[in-house]
Amino acid sequence: MKFAIIAAGEGSRLSQEGVSLPKPLVRLQGEPMIDRLVRIFNENGAEEICIIVNRLHPQTEAHVRQLMAEGKGAPIRLAVKTTPSSMHSFFELSEWLDGAPFCLTTVDTIFREDEFAEYIRAFRASADDGLMAVTDYVDDEKPLYVGTDEALRITGFHDTDMGDRYISGGIYALQPKALDTLRRCMAEGQSRMRNFQRGLVEDGLKLKAYPMRKILDVDHAEDIVKAEAFLNSTRQA
């Protein structure tokens, strides 16, 4: 199984709020966010880790290349390109992800490590085309609501609350057939990961929701404080 990290955002809101480091290098509990994901992926049996960073922050590229040189854990593939959206970044990684199940997330997605391990185990045992991490904890400026039936099969993705219990957590475990949908979305000129997720439903892929208690994104300086508090609470638990 492969893992992938989208770390190609500009991080403009953090820099405007006085955070000097590029977002992937912001430390939580003393560990850069990108290192945290690489470590967790290795602990969950990664065969390969594919990462995309943008050209605007050479410091991030240099950091990842140092990780590659150290050679710890699974091999890392690195793409360096500034893209207009996360879906475009995903597309840049898709050639490396084809042919094997994979798990994709953005660099600033913060979750409990024990829940993530359970999630990956569930995906490996699943016969579905995708297992999408969801949460009922809403702390997002523009949440993507996830429609489900009683068996947690995903019926749709909504920009507004349609009576849905969960929102997308931004962690996607998918079979490689999902890349056909990605290619179609790109050919149609679509953008944004939420449009890709809608495309998966439109194309008839069997998706299930996997609830996690809490998933955070680090978009603002105050989110760093929230993420630290959350991780401290999980460590104490």
Side-chain angles (χ1 to χ4, degrees):
M1 182 174 173
K2 299 182 180 182
F3 291 78
I5 304 170
I6 295 174
E10 295 182 15
S12 56
R13 285 173 290 190
L14 285 178
S15 63
Q16 290 168 5
E17 294 169 3
V19 178
S20 59
L21 285 172
K23 182 188 286 191
L25 304 186
V26 169
R27 291 177 175 268
L28 298 176
Q29 295 185 319
E31 184 177 34
M33 287 197 288
I34 197 164
D35 292 44
R36 177 177 186 268
L37 285 180
V38 168
R39 173 180 58 77
I40 292 170
F41 292 166
N42 277 314
E43 290 172 354
N44 284 277
E47 297 173 6
E48 192 171 78
I49 299 173
C50 305
I51 301 173
I52 181 168
V53 302
N54 67 43
R55 296 187 181 280
L56 304 176
H57 298 297
Q59 187 178 358
T60 303
E61 177 187 353
H63 183 86
V64 175
R65 293 199 183 280
Q66 179 61 38
L67 294 178
M68 297 168 70
E70 291 171 1
K72 298 177 182 177
I76 295 175
R77 291 195 186 211
L78 176 63
V80 183
K81 187 171 183 177
T82 301
T83 63
S85 75
S86 292
M87 195 176 85
H88 287 78
S89 295
F90 179 20
F91 183 73
E92 293 297 324
L93 297 176
S94 61
E95 182 179 355
W96 295 337
L97 300 174
D98 210 354
F102 62 90
C103 177
L104 169 83
T105 191
T106 53
V107 73
D108 63 335
T109 303
I110 311 301
F111 47 80
R112 289 178 61 113
E113 295 183 33
D114 56 345
E115 284 191 325
F116 183 80
E118 292 166 5
Y119 165 67
I120 295 300
R121 283 195 292 269
F123 174 62
R124 292 181 189 274
S126 173
D128 294 306
D129 298 317
L131 196 60
M132 317 294 269
V134 299
T135 180
D136 57 9
Y137 173 78
V138 182
D139 185 27
D140 197 305
E141 295 170 347
K142 295 181 180 179
L144 178 64
Y145 296 90
V146 182
T148 59
D149 64 15
E150 292 182 356
L152 291 180
R153 289 184 291 264
I154 294 176
T155 58
F157 295 93
H158 313 126
D159 289 329
T160 58
D161 188 354
M162 308 288 288
D164 306 313
R165 178 176 178 182
Y166 299 110
I167 65 168
S168 173
I171 310 171
Y172 322 101
L174 297 163
Q175 296 295 336
K177 66 186 297 185
L179 298 175
D180 292 335
T181 296
L182 175 64
R183 296 183 188 106
R184 175 180 67 78
C185 290
M186 290 292 294
E188 294 174 356
Q190 298 188 48
S191 62
R192 305 189 71 192
M193 284 297 292
R194 60 184 58 199
N195 292 330
F196 162 69
Q197 292 176 78
R198 292 189 182 104
L200 294 173
V201 175
E202 293 166 2
D203 289 348
L205 274 70
K206 297 178 181 178
L207 306 177
K208 288 196 75 172
Y210 187 92
M212 293 188 181
R213 281 170 282 183
K214 195 173 186 179
I215 302 174
L216 302 176
D217 289 334
V218 177
D219 293 318
H220 297 279
E222 65 180 13
D223 295 333
I224 299 173
V225 178
K226 291 180 183 179
E228 284 274 9
F230 170 52
L231 293 177
N232 286 336
S233 69
T234 63
R235 175 174 290 182
Q236 292 167 4

